[in-house]
Amino acid sequence: DLPFFLIAGPCQLESLDHARMLAERIQAACAPTKTPFVFKASYDKANRSSLGSKRGLGIDEGLSILSKIRAEFDIPVLTDVHLPDHCAPAAEAVDVLQIPAFLCRQTDLLLAAGETGAVLNVKKGQFLAPWDMENVAAKIASTGNQRILLCDRGTSFGYNTLVSDFRGLPIMARTGCPVVFDATHSVQQPGGQGATSGGQREFAPVLARAAVAVGVSGLFIETHEDPDNAPSDGPNMIPIEDMAPLLSTLARLDRVVKDG
Amino acid sequence: DLPFFLIAGPCQLESLDHARMLAERIQAACAPTKTPFVFKASYDKANRSSLGSKRGLGIDEGLSILSKIRAEFDIPVLTDVHLPDHCAPAAEAVDVLQIPAFLCRQTDLLLAAGETGAVLNVKKGQFLAPWDMENVAAKIASTGNQRILLCDRGTSFGYNTLVSDFRGLPIMARTGCPVVFDATHSVQQPGGQGATSGGQREFAPVLARAAVAVGVSGLFIETHEDPDNAPSDGPNMIPIEDMAPLLSTLARLDRVVKDG
Amino acid sequence: DLPFFLIAGPCQLESLDHARMLAERIQAACAPTKTPFVFKASYDKANRSSLGSKRGLGIDEGLSILSKIRAEFDIPVLTDVHLPDHCAPAAEAVDVLQIPAFLCRQTDLLLAAGETGAVLNVKKGQFLAPWDMENVAAKIASTGNQRILLCDRGTSFGYNTLVSDFRGLPIMARTGCPVVFDATHSVQQPGGQGATSGGQREFAPVLARAAVAVGVSGLFIETHEDPDNAPSDGPNMIPIEDMAPLLSTLARLDRVVKDG
Amino acid sequence: DLPFFLIAGPCQLESLDHARMLAERIQAACAPTKTPFVFKASYDKANRSSLGSKRGLGIDEGLSILSKIRAEFDIPVLTDVHLPDHCAPAAEAVDVLQIPAFLCRQTDLLLAAGETGAVLNVKKGQFLAPWDMENVAAKIASTGNQRILLCDRGTSFGYNTLVSDFRGLPIMARTGCPVVFDATHSVQQPGGQGATSGGQREFAPVLARAAVAVGVSGLFIETHEDPDNAPSDGPNMIPIEDMAPLLSTLARLDRVVKDG
């Protein structure tokens, strides 16, 4: 019943300076509530809706920036991996490897990630039930790596819509793995704008409050200083200036639930 | 930003003594948190999964019991109506008429209920989107009755399963109507046990916490002293002895959210 | 393995002359394929999305027109009923009583309809699984009336969308009841245009072909001489002039499937 | 409006002899209807529900067997690829590369597959709407390869269930790509048996008939001489001895629809 930790950062890594600025501002937002902070950013958006969307800086420059953030801020860093042979180099630069939702059933990726010994944050596929994640965790655990986080980022509900089933959080917790709720991807509207995904940014704090009241080990929130002009996931990111007041509310809800 | 009120009671009215016993125990559970309490019970279960299931005491005996509970305990009482010509007599015996989810689009029932001038609690159909409730409320408001509560009791998600989409609560609140979350029907598994509906009682407090953290005007919870042997909805009712500790947690969450 | 029958007509009864005109044109469209024809029209649209939409001629004038159509054309006629006390008078004017999808769990309506002895066409609720209809049919059969048709008109799939699950047709057929597929309501987009329901008329023939290839006893198709200006369900009705070529294709598919 | 082609074979490649036996029996089943036949088998099941399930022969032995089948039977052969660097070697051994549904948004895999110049069969992700496939096809077409098949294998519908939305076939056809319906994976129940996926084999012919009546360029059907003992997807494969009579019915439905 530890206070929740926060995985936060921009969707896409833009530059070292940009990453520094956001890490600093998120760290400041976390300070009043002493919320443990893991910096998150992606070096490659490997599954954009359409080819015209920006993919990112690539693995070499990306990992270089992330390892600098880790060193400068002395905080854990997370990034997502998409191919088995990216796991080892990524695990040298960051502390947490994230398995994207679409890839959470790809055995080779799970095993390669598990074998690095890094902490893994596995997003539940939008096409899976919460209880299906037990088999996913077991694949990873077969490598001897038990440092597994399971993360809910919404479930397919009709077309171009996700729904967050909060029964899923305690169901995934039955695996013994810490459970994380991804409040910003859960309000995504996949493919909802034709060639890009839409989002309902206004509901991200709503779902974050609900998840904390249900009881979670961690929250995942993408944030940006100018979401409307971010290179990806702008429609669902929370503006950085909203983070501190949101964390204040969430920390108080967390204490109510965890203090019983 | 008033504290939430509680609509609670057994699913089905069993007898005057049973209603008295439960009203007393719920009132006691609400006392420590000063939670405003509306007693709820049904005199007729008009849409049971199968004919073999118990329907209840009927309108005459049922309304007689409900009006006695109202007088003895000096509390508002709610019951559900299924036919237009039941609205007027029901509105003499109780304070709140409830429109069942399956019937929330039946114009004649909505108008007859509206015309009584009673407060109405309209359950959102499992087949409707939250924004569809604006038209439902407008039908009622056309009678001059603006005392409308909108209540979420889950949305169809595949077969024999409901999901609670918590984005729906703020969306329904845009109508200006107070929004209620029904924590026990939302964990129903309609038809999930063949000839009766199943339920996941263990998730009712989970979803109740989430709803309060999102922010609601009221909660709807069915409760019983022996859910496993209740004549209806046993699988999803909360045992009466669990109500006081649950309300304690919920009241503290409510204060966090409403105090900002 | 009889050829399929067709239940067809306008959504809403407009006038005796209009009903005559459509009955005549549908009868002509059915002639080349010798498709048995049941005329369908509603005297009251009791669950329109919003109050501003037209409800229809009412029960007295409506039943009077329907009984004239039955006598003049010597064809069976179907209408839908919404309240228990409408069943007996409706059963004197028409041959088939239809239970609307939203009302398919209302025990009193099912029993009142069953007791008339009329053939009943029960629409599967959008919120039910196909196997749930066994309990619905059993409620009716308890009256001694075994003349029950079960009709699929789509299942809730996310918000404002229906999906037709064609596994449901053989599942409902396990009850022993003839199964009907409603090709025009299945392409409805409930609430999809704000205050009215939208529709995807272009897919009605597509789903009708699929249903016949799966194997059905009957098809339900709403049709109109000017769907864009019809008082209800215009977006999903098939223009009357398209009926004859559609029936020609469907009859040939039906023979392939039923001749084995 | 050519007659439909058939992509068929076992889910998993078991041995050269087994592949030969099935290719021969499918070829024989296709002969009476002159149905064009593409042999399908997987050398690696890269996303099994759990680690305990068999993965297959691996890429080297698998491609060697597939190229022998292609040469011996003089038929096109299809296999699925899971990583970008498998595309080039696979494209030397087979004629059609298949993109698995979970991977249909992975840009690098789509580009690598497209660059081989092979025909690609892209399964629609269970989490995508049919119209989302336009962006998927555009990613491939950016390589200059326009030989793209789009294949429906069901859409997420609640938990552990897929539904086939037959409106999706004409919607995907608007891209100009030939559309294939996968009749055996569409009746899969993902994760429905705990550590493995279940299936409803009895509905595969039902959905195949529906798809042909809607109008498709191709059908995808997995088949086996002993589905109950197959190393994967047994619950949804069609027994090989049922293929000839099924193809006879399907070919006649196809003629009705395509002859107008």
Side-chain angles (χ1 to χ4, degrees), chain B residues 46-49 51 55 102-103 105-108 127 129-132 135 139 142 156 159-160 165 194-195, chain C residues 46-49 51 55 102-103 105-108 127 129-132 135 139 142 156 159-160 165 194-195:
Chain B
N47 57 23
R48 300 301 302 265
S49 293
L51 200 62
R55 284 198 52 171
F102 291 159
L103 302 180
R105 284 271 297 268
Q106 301 303 312
T107 305
D108 288 335
F127 45 85
W131 45 86
D132 295 333
N135 285 319
K139 286 187 185 177
S142 76
S156 292
Y159 291 136
N160 302 310
D165 179 0
Chain C
N47 57 24
R48 300 300 304 263
S49 293
L51 199 60
R55 284 198 52 172
F102 291 160
L103 301 180
R105 284 273 296 269
Q106 302 303 313
T107 306
D108 288 335
F127 44 84
W131 46 86
D132 295 333
N135 286 318
K139 285 186 185 178
S142 77
S156 291
Y159 291 135
N160 302 311
D165 180 0

Short mmCIF file of all heavy atoms in Angstrom, two decimals, chain B residues 46-49 51 55 102-103 105-108 127 129-132 135 139 142 156 159-160 165 194-195, chain C residues 46-49 51 55 102-103 105-108 127 129-132 135 139 142 156 159-160 165 194-195:
data_model
loop_
_atom_site.label_atom_id
_atom_site.label_comp_id
_atom_site.label_asym_id
_atom_site.label_seq_id
_atom_site.Cartn_x
_atom_site.Cartn_y
_atom_site.Cartn_z
N ALA B 46 -40.70 -6.62 -13.27
CA ALA B 46 -41.51 -6.81 -14.47
C ALA B 46 -40.74 -7.38 -15.64
O ALA B 46 -41.33 -7.70 -16.68
CB ALA B 46 -42.13 -5.47 -14.88
N ASN B 47 -39.43 -7.52 -15.52
CA ASN B 47 -38.67 -7.99 -16.68
C ASN B 47 -37.64 -9.05 -16.30
O ASN B 47 -36.53 -9.07 -16.83
CB ASN B 47 -38.00 -6.79 -17.39
CG ASN B 47 -37.09 -6.01 -16.45
OD1 ASN B 47 -36.61 -6.53 -15.44
ND2 ASN B 47 -36.85 -4.76 -16.77
N ARG B 48 -38.00 -9.94 -15.39
CA ARG B 48 -37.09 -11.01 -14.98
C ARG B 48 -36.62 -11.80 -16.21
O ARG B 48 -37.34 -11.92 -17.20
CB ARG B 48 -37.79 -11.98 -14.02
CG ARG B 48 -38.29 -11.36 -12.72
CD ARG B 48 -37.18 -10.73 -11.90
NE ARG B 48 -36.13 -11.65 -11.55
CZ ARG B 48 -36.05 -12.32 -10.41
NH1 ARG B 48 -36.97 -12.15 -9.49
NH2 ARG B 48 -35.05 -13.13 -10.16
N SER B 49 -35.43 -12.39 -16.10
CA SER B 49 -34.90 -13.18 -17.22
C SER B 49 -35.87 -14.29 -17.60
O SER B 49 -36.11 -14.55 -18.77
CB SER B 49 -33.55 -13.80 -16.84
OG SER B 49 -32.56 -12.83 -16.67
N LEU B 51 -39.58 -16.72 -16.56
CA LEU B 51 -40.88 -16.68 -15.92
C LEU B 51 -40.86 -17.33 -14.54
O LEU B 51 -41.67 -17.00 -13.67
CB LEU B 51 -41.88 -17.42 -16.83
CG LEU B 51 -43.35 -17.12 -16.61
CD1 LEU B 51 -43.64 -15.66 -16.88
CD2 LEU B 51 -44.19 -17.99 -17.54
N ARG B 55 -41.74 -12.43 -8.93
CA ARG B 55 -42.01 -11.08 -9.41
C ARG B 55 -42.25 -10.08 -8.30
O ARG B 55 -42.08 -8.89 -8.51
CB ARG B 55 -43.22 -11.09 -10.34
CG ARG B 55 -42.86 -11.65 -11.70
CD ARG B 55 -43.85 -11.30 -12.75
NE ARG B 55 -44.15 -9.89 -12.82
CZ ARG B 55 -44.87 -9.35 -13.79
NH1 ARG B 55 -45.38 -10.12 -14.74
NH2 ARG B 55 -45.12 -8.07 -13.82
N PHE B 102 -34.50 -0.62 -19.45
CA PHE B 102 -35.08 -1.12 -20.70
C PHE B 102 -36.20 -0.20 -21.21
O PHE B 102 -36.54 -0.24 -22.39
CB PHE B 102 -35.70 -2.52 -20.51
CG PHE B 102 -34.72 -3.63 -20.27
CD1 PHE B 102 -35.14 -4.82 -19.67
CD2 PHE B 102 -33.39 -3.53 -20.64
CE1 PHE B 102 -34.26 -5.86 -19.44
CE2 PHE B 102 -32.50 -4.57 -20.41
CZ PHE B 102 -32.94 -5.74 -19.81
N LEU B 103 -36.80 0.58 -20.31
CA LEU B 103 -37.98 1.38 -20.66
C LEU B 103 -37.67 2.86 -20.84
O LEU B 103 -38.59 3.68 -20.99
CB LEU B 103 -39.06 1.20 -19.58
CG LEU B 103 -39.52 -0.24 -19.35
CD1 LEU B 103 -40.60 -0.30 -18.27
CD2 LEU B 103 -40.05 -0.87 -20.63
N ARG B 105 -36.74 4.66 -23.13
CA ARG B 105 -37.13 5.34 -24.38
C ARG B 105 -38.64 5.31 -24.60
O ARG B 105 -39.13 5.79 -25.63
CB ARG B 105 -36.42 4.67 -25.57
CG ARG B 105 -34.95 5.02 -25.71
CD ARG B 105 -34.75 6.28 -26.57
NE ARG B 105 -35.22 6.10 -27.90
CZ ARG B 105 -34.48 5.68 -28.93
NH1 ARG B 105 -33.20 5.49 -28.77
NH2 ARG B 105 -35.02 5.49 -30.12
N GLN B 106 -39.43 4.73 -23.66
CA GLN B 106 -40.88 4.61 -23.86
C GLN B 106 -41.54 5.94 -23.53
O GLN B 106 -41.74 6.29 -22.36
CB GLN B 106 -41.45 3.48 -22.98
CG GLN B 106 -40.82 2.12 -23.25
CD GLN B 106 -40.95 1.66 -24.69
OE1 GLN B 106 -42.04 1.73 -25.27
NE2 GLN B 106 -39.85 1.24 -25.29
N THR B 107 -41.91 6.65 -24.57
CA THR B 107 -42.40 8.02 -24.41
C THR B 107 -43.58 8.11 -23.45
O THR B 107 -43.62 9.00 -22.59
CB THR B 107 -42.78 8.58 -25.79
OG1 THR B 107 -41.64 8.45 -26.65
CG2 THR B 107 -43.16 10.05 -25.70
N ASP B 108 -44.55 7.22 -23.58
CA ASP B 108 -45.75 7.33 -22.74
C ASP B 108 -45.42 7.17 -21.26
O ASP B 108 -46.02 7.84 -20.41
CB ASP B 108 -46.78 6.28 -23.15
CG ASP B 108 -47.43 6.61 -24.49
OD1 ASP B 108 -47.45 7.81 -24.85
OD2 ASP B 108 -47.90 5.69 -25.17
N PHE B 127 -28.27 0.05 -23.84
CA PHE B 127 -28.12 0.15 -25.30
C PHE B 127 -27.96 1.60 -25.73
O PHE B 127 -27.96 1.87 -26.94
CB PHE B 127 -29.35 -0.47 -25.97
CG PHE B 127 -30.64 -0.04 -25.33
CD1 PHE B 127 -31.24 1.15 -25.71
CD2 PHE B 127 -31.22 -0.78 -24.31
CE1 PHE B 127 -32.41 1.57 -25.09
CE2 PHE B 127 -32.40 -0.38 -23.69
CZ PHE B 127 -33.00 0.81 -24.07
N ALA B 129 -25.93 5.50 -25.52
CA ALA B 129 -24.74 6.27 -25.18
C ALA B 129 -25.12 7.32 -24.14
O ALA B 129 -26.29 7.72 -24.06
CB ALA B 129 -24.19 6.94 -26.43
N PRO B 130 -24.16 7.76 -23.33
CA PRO B 130 -24.51 8.75 -22.30
C PRO B 130 -25.14 10.01 -22.89
O PRO B 130 -26.06 10.58 -22.29
CB PRO B 130 -23.16 9.07 -21.63
CG PRO B 130 -22.13 8.19 -22.22
CD PRO B 130 -22.76 7.31 -23.25
N TRP B 131 -24.68 10.43 -24.08
CA TRP B 131 -25.23 11.66 -24.67
C TRP B 131 -26.66 11.45 -25.17
O TRP B 131 -27.38 12.44 -25.38
CB TRP B 131 -24.33 12.18 -25.80
CG TRP B 131 -23.84 11.14 -26.74
CD1 TRP B 131 -24.48 10.66 -27.84
CD2 TRP B 131 -22.59 10.43 -26.65
NE1 TRP B 131 -23.72 9.70 -28.44
CE2 TRP B 131 -22.56 9.54 -27.75
CE3 TRP B 131 -21.51 10.45 -25.76
CZ2 TRP B 131 -21.48 8.67 -27.98
CZ3 TRP B 131 -20.44 9.60 -25.97
CH2 TRP B 131 -20.42 8.72 -27.07
N ASP B 132 -27.07 10.20 -25.36
CA ASP B 132 -28.45 9.95 -25.78
C ASP B 132 -29.45 10.31 -24.69
O ASP B 132 -30.65 10.46 -24.97
CB ASP B 132 -28.65 8.47 -26.14
CG ASP B 132 -27.84 8.02 -27.35
OD1 ASP B 132 -27.55 8.86 -28.21
OD2 ASP B 132 -27.51 6.83 -27.42
N ASN B 135 -31.94 13.54 -24.88
CA ASN B 135 -33.29 13.46 -25.46
C ASN B 135 -34.29 12.86 -24.48
O ASN B 135 -35.47 13.22 -24.48
CB ASN B 135 -33.26 12.60 -26.74
CG ASN B 135 -32.63 13.34 -27.91
OD1 ASN B 135 -32.88 14.52 -28.10
ND2 ASN B 135 -31.81 12.65 -28.67
N LYS B 139 -37.75 14.74 -23.07
CA LYS B 139 -39.13 14.23 -23.11
C LYS B 139 -39.81 14.52 -21.77
O LYS B 139 -40.95 14.98 -21.73
CB LYS B 139 -39.14 12.72 -23.36
CG LYS B 139 -38.83 12.28 -24.79
CD LYS B 139 -39.04 10.76 -24.94
CE LYS B 139 -38.61 10.24 -26.30
NZ LYS B 139 -38.75 8.77 -26.43
N SER B 142 -40.58 18.18 -21.01
CA SER B 142 -41.71 18.74 -21.77
C SER B 142 -42.99 18.76 -20.94
O SER B 142 -43.94 19.48 -21.27
CB SER B 142 -41.95 17.92 -23.05
OG SER B 142 -42.60 16.69 -22.73
N SER B 156 -24.02 -2.21 -22.46
CA SER B 156 -23.77 -3.52 -23.08
C SER B 156 -22.35 -3.59 -23.64
O SER B 156 -21.91 -2.69 -24.35
CB SER B 156 -24.76 -3.75 -24.24
OG SER B 156 -26.07 -3.91 -23.76
N TYR B 159 -21.60 -9.99 -25.02
CA TYR B 159 -22.78 -10.71 -24.53
C TYR B 159 -22.71 -10.93 -23.02
O TYR B 159 -21.64 -11.28 -22.49
CB TYR B 159 -22.89 -12.07 -25.21
CG TYR B 159 -23.23 -12.00 -26.68
CD1 TYR B 159 -22.55 -12.81 -27.60
CD2 TYR B 159 -24.23 -11.17 -27.15
CE1 TYR B 159 -22.87 -12.77 -28.96
CE2 TYR B 159 -24.55 -11.13 -28.51
CZ TYR B 159 -23.86 -11.93 -29.41
OH TYR B 159 -24.17 -11.90 -30.74
N ASN B 160 -23.84 -10.77 -22.35
CA ASN B 160 -23.97 -11.12 -20.92
C ASN B 160 -22.99 -10.37 -20.04
O ASN B 160 -22.60 -10.85 -18.98
CB ASN B 160 -23.78 -12.64 -20.71
CG ASN B 160 -24.78 -13.47 -21.50
OD1 ASN B 160 -25.98 -13.21 -21.44
ND2 ASN B 160 -24.31 -14.43 -22.26
N ASP B 165 -18.62 2.89 -18.20
CA ASP B 165 -17.77 3.88 -18.84
C ASP B 165 -17.87 5.17 -18.02
O ASP B 165 -18.88 5.88 -18.10
CB ASP B 165 -18.24 4.12 -20.27
CG ASP B 165 -17.40 5.16 -20.99
OD1 ASP B 165 -16.46 5.70 -20.38
OD2 ASP B 165 -17.70 5.43 -22.17
N GLY B 194 -27.82 -18.48 -17.27
CA GLY B 194 -28.88 -19.23 -17.96
C GLY B 194 -30.21 -18.55 -17.74
O GLY B 194 -30.54 -17.59 -18.41
N ALA B 195 -30.98 -19.05 -16.77
CA ALA B 195 -32.32 -18.51 -16.57
C ALA B 195 -32.34 -17.31 -15.63
O ALA B 195 -33.37 -16.71 -15.41
CB ALA B 195 -33.26 -19.60 -16.07
N ALA C 46 -43.60 4.32 -30.36
CA ALA C 46 -43.71 4.62 -28.93
C ALA C 46 -42.37 4.94 -28.27
O ALA C 46 -42.33 5.30 -27.11
CB ALA C 46 -44.36 3.43 -28.22
N ASN C 47 -41.28 4.78 -29.01
CA ASN C 47 -39.98 5.00 -28.38
C ASN C 47 -39.04 5.81 -29.25
O ASN C 47 -37.84 5.56 -29.27
CB ASN C 47 -39.34 3.65 -27.99
CG ASN C 47 -39.19 2.73 -29.18
OD1 ASN C 47 -39.12 3.19 -30.32
ND2 ASN C 47 -39.11 1.44 -28.94
N ARG C 48 -39.59 6.80 -29.94
CA ARG C 48 -38.74 7.67 -30.76
C ARG C 48 -37.60 8.25 -29.93
O ARG C 48 -37.74 8.48 -28.73
CB ARG C 48 -39.56 8.83 -31.35
CG ARG C 48 -40.73 8.40 -32.23
CD ARG C 48 -40.30 7.60 -33.45
NE ARG C 48 -39.34 8.28 -34.26
CZ ARG C 48 -39.64 8.97 -35.36
NH1 ARG C 48 -40.88 9.05 -35.76
NH2 ARG C 48 -38.69 9.55 -36.07
N SER C 49 -36.49 8.56 -30.61
CA SER C 49 -35.34 9.15 -29.92
C SER C 49 -35.73 10.43 -29.19
O SER C 49 -35.31 10.67 -28.06
CB SER C 49 -34.21 9.48 -30.91
OG SER C 49 -33.66 8.31 -31.46
N LEU C 51 -38.87 13.68 -28.54
CA LEU C 51 -40.29 13.97 -28.51
C LEU C 51 -40.75 14.67 -29.77
O LEU C 51 -41.92 14.59 -30.16
CB LEU C 51 -40.56 14.86 -27.28
CG LEU C 51 -41.98 14.92 -26.78
CD1 LEU C 51 -42.47 13.55 -26.35
CD2 LEU C 51 -42.06 15.89 -25.60
N ARG C 55 -45.19 10.43 -34.05
CA ARG C 55 -45.52 9.16 -33.43
C ARG C 55 -46.46 8.29 -34.24
O ARG C 55 -46.50 7.08 -34.07
CB ARG C 55 -46.13 9.40 -32.05
CG ARG C 55 -45.06 9.77 -31.05
CD ARG C 55 -45.50 9.61 -29.65
NE ARG C 55 -46.05 8.30 -29.36
CZ ARG C 55 -46.36 7.91 -28.14
NH1 ARG C 55 -46.18 8.71 -27.12
NH2 ARG C 55 -46.85 6.72 -27.92
N PHE C 102 -36.80 -3.28 -27.40
CA PHE C 102 -36.61 -2.72 -26.05
C PHE C 102 -37.53 -3.40 -25.03
O PHE C 102 -37.27 -3.36 -23.83
CB PHE C 102 -36.92 -1.21 -26.02
CG PHE C 102 -35.94 -0.34 -26.75
CD1 PHE C 102 -36.31 0.95 -27.14
CD2 PHE C 102 -34.65 -0.76 -27.04
CE1 PHE C 102 -35.42 1.79 -27.79
CE2 PHE C 102 -33.76 0.08 -27.72
CZ PHE C 102 -34.15 1.34 -28.09
N LEU C 103 -38.64 -3.97 -25.51
CA LEU C 103 -39.68 -4.50 -24.61
C LEU C 103 -39.67 -6.02 -24.52
O LEU C 103 -40.56 -6.61 -23.90
CB LEU C 103 -41.06 -4.01 -25.07
CG LEU C 103 -41.23 -2.49 -25.13
CD1 LEU C 103 -42.64 -2.13 -25.59
CD2 LEU C 103 -40.95 -1.84 -23.78
N ARG C 105 -38.22 -8.12 -22.80
CA ARG C 105 -38.13 -8.75 -21.49
C ARG C 105 -39.32 -8.39 -20.59
O ARG C 105 -39.37 -8.82 -19.43
CB ARG C 105 -36.82 -8.32 -20.79
CG ARG C 105 -35.56 -8.99 -21.30
CD ARG C 105 -35.30 -10.31 -20.62
NE ARG C 105 -35.05 -10.11 -19.21
CZ ARG C 105 -33.84 -9.92 -18.67
NH1 ARG C 105 -32.77 -9.99 -19.42
NH2 ARG C 105 -33.70 -9.71 -17.38
N GLN C 106 -40.28 -7.59 -21.10
CA GLN C 106 -41.42 -7.16 -20.27
C GLN C 106 -42.44 -8.28 -20.17
O GLN C 106 -43.24 -8.51 -21.09
CB GLN C 106 -42.05 -5.89 -20.84
CG GLN C 106 -41.09 -4.72 -20.98
CD GLN C 106 -40.43 -4.33 -19.66
OE1 GLN C 106 -41.08 -4.20 -18.63
NE2 GLN C 106 -39.10 -4.20 -19.67
N THR C 107 -42.44 -8.96 -19.05
CA THR C 107 -43.24 -10.17 -18.89
C THR C 107 -44.72 -9.94 -19.18
O THR C 107 -45.35 -10.74 -19.87
CB THR C 107 -43.04 -10.71 -17.46
OG1 THR C 107 -41.63 -10.87 -17.25
CG2 THR C 107 -43.73 -12.05 -17.29
N ASP C 108 -45.29 -8.85 -18.67
CA ASP C 108 -46.73 -8.64 -18.86
C ASP C 108 -47.10 -8.48 -20.33
O ASP C 108 -48.15 -8.95 -20.77
CB ASP C 108 -47.18 -7.40 -18.08
CG ASP C 108 -47.20 -7.68 -16.58
OD1 ASP C 108 -47.33 -8.85 -16.17
OD2 ASP C 108 -47.07 -6.70 -15.81
N PHE C 127 -29.59 -5.59 -26.34
CA PHE C 127 -28.80 -5.80 -25.12
C PHE C 127 -28.80 -7.28 -24.72
O PHE C 127 -28.31 -7.61 -23.64
CB PHE C 127 -29.41 -4.96 -23.99
CG PHE C 127 -30.92 -5.05 -23.94
CD1 PHE C 127 -31.55 -6.09 -23.29
CD2 PHE C 127 -31.71 -4.11 -24.61
CE1 PHE C 127 -32.93 -6.21 -23.28
CE2 PHE C 127 -33.11 -4.22 -24.62
CZ PHE C 127 -33.71 -5.26 -23.94
N ALA C 129 -28.04 -11.52 -25.63
CA ALA C 129 -27.35 -12.50 -26.45
C ALA C 129 -28.40 -13.37 -27.13
O ALA C 129 -29.52 -13.52 -26.63
CB ALA C 129 -26.45 -13.36 -25.57
N PRO C 130 -28.04 -13.99 -28.26
CA PRO C 130 -29.04 -14.82 -28.96
C PRO C 130 -29.60 -15.93 -28.07
O PRO C 130 -30.79 -16.23 -28.15
CB PRO C 130 -28.26 -15.38 -30.16
CG PRO C 130 -26.90 -14.80 -30.15
CD PRO C 130 -26.78 -13.85 -29.01
N TRP C 131 -28.75 -16.51 -27.23
CA TRP C 131 -29.23 -17.60 -26.38
C TRP C 131 -30.18 -17.10 -25.28
O TRP C 131 -30.92 -17.91 -24.72
CB TRP C 131 -28.07 -18.39 -25.78
CG TRP C 131 -26.98 -17.53 -25.22
CD1 TRP C 131 -26.91 -16.99 -23.97
CD2 TRP C 131 -25.79 -17.12 -25.91
NE1 TRP C 131 -25.76 -16.26 -23.84
CE2 TRP C 131 -25.04 -16.32 -24.99
CE3 TRP C 131 -25.27 -17.34 -27.19
CZ2 TRP C 131 -23.81 -15.75 -25.34
CZ3 TRP C 131 -24.04 -16.77 -27.52
CH2 TRP C 131 -23.34 -15.99 -26.61
N ASP C 132 -30.17 -15.81 -24.99
CA ASP C 132 -31.10 -15.28 -23.99
C ASP C 132 -32.55 -15.35 -24.48
O ASP C 132 -33.48 -15.24 -23.68
CB ASP C 132 -30.77 -13.81 -23.67
CG ASP C 132 -29.42 -13.64 -23.01
OD1 ASP C 132 -28.95 -14.58 -22.34
OD2 ASP C 132 -28.83 -12.55 -23.15
N ASN C 135 -35.32 -17.94 -22.99
CA ASN C 135 -36.19 -17.58 -21.87
C ASN C 135 -37.36 -16.70 -22.30
O ASN C 135 -38.46 -16.80 -21.74
CB ASN C 135 -35.39 -16.83 -20.79
CG ASN C 135 -34.47 -17.77 -20.01
OD1 ASN C 135 -34.86 -18.87 -19.66
ND2 ASN C 135 -33.25 -17.31 -19.76
N LYS C 139 -41.40 -17.68 -21.85
CA LYS C 139 -42.45 -16.87 -21.22
C LYS C 139 -43.72 -16.92 -22.06
O LYS C 139 -44.82 -17.11 -21.54
CB LYS C 139 -42.00 -15.40 -21.07
CG LYS C 139 -40.97 -15.13 -19.97
CD LYS C 139 -40.73 -13.61 -19.84
CE LYS C 139 -39.63 -13.28 -18.84
NZ LYS C 139 -39.36 -11.83 -18.74
N SER C 142 -45.57 -20.26 -22.17
CA SER C 142 -46.31 -20.58 -20.95
C SER C 142 -47.80 -20.27 -21.08
O SER C 142 -48.63 -20.77 -20.33
CB SER C 142 -45.74 -19.81 -19.75
OG SER C 142 -46.16 -18.46 -19.79
N SER C 156 -26.06 -4.27 -29.66
CA SER C 156 -25.27 -3.09 -29.30
C SER C 156 -23.77 -3.37 -29.47
O SER C 156 -23.27 -4.38 -29.00
CB SER C 156 -25.52 -2.72 -27.83
OG SER C 156 -26.83 -2.23 -27.67
N TYR C 159 -21.03 2.61 -28.95
CA TYR C 159 -22.11 3.60 -28.89
C TYR C 159 -22.69 3.88 -30.27
O TYR C 159 -21.95 3.99 -31.25
CB TYR C 159 -21.59 4.91 -28.31
CG TYR C 159 -21.22 4.85 -26.84
CD1 TYR C 159 -20.03 5.41 -26.39
CD2 TYR C 159 -22.04 4.23 -25.91
CE1 TYR C 159 -19.69 5.37 -25.03
CE2 TYR C 159 -21.70 4.18 -24.56
CZ TYR C 159 -20.53 4.75 -24.13
OH TYR C 159 -20.19 4.71 -22.81
N ASN C 160 -24.02 4.05 -30.33
CA ASN C 160 -24.70 4.48 -31.56
C ASN C 160 -24.44 3.57 -32.75
O ASN C 160 -24.49 4.01 -33.90
CB ASN C 160 -24.29 5.92 -31.93
CG ASN C 160 -24.59 6.91 -30.80
OD1 ASN C 160 -25.68 6.92 -30.26
ND2 ASN C 160 -23.61 7.70 -30.41
N ASP C 165 -24.55 -10.22 -35.64
CA ASP C 165 -23.75 -11.42 -35.41
C ASP C 165 -24.50 -12.60 -36.01
O ASP C 165 -25.48 -13.07 -35.44
CB ASP C 165 -23.55 -11.62 -33.90
CG ASP C 165 -22.73 -12.85 -33.61
OD1 ASP C 165 -22.31 -13.55 -34.56
OD2 ASP C 165 -22.49 -13.13 -32.42
N GLY C 194 -28.05 12.69 -33.43
CA GLY C 194 -28.47 13.63 -32.38
C GLY C 194 -29.87 13.29 -31.90
O GLY C 194 -30.06 12.38 -31.11
N ALA C 195 -30.87 14.00 -32.43
CA ALA C 195 -32.23 13.78 -31.96
C ALA C 195 -32.96 12.68 -32.73
O ALA C 195 -34.08 12.35 -32.41
CB ALA C 195 -33.03 15.07 -32.02
#
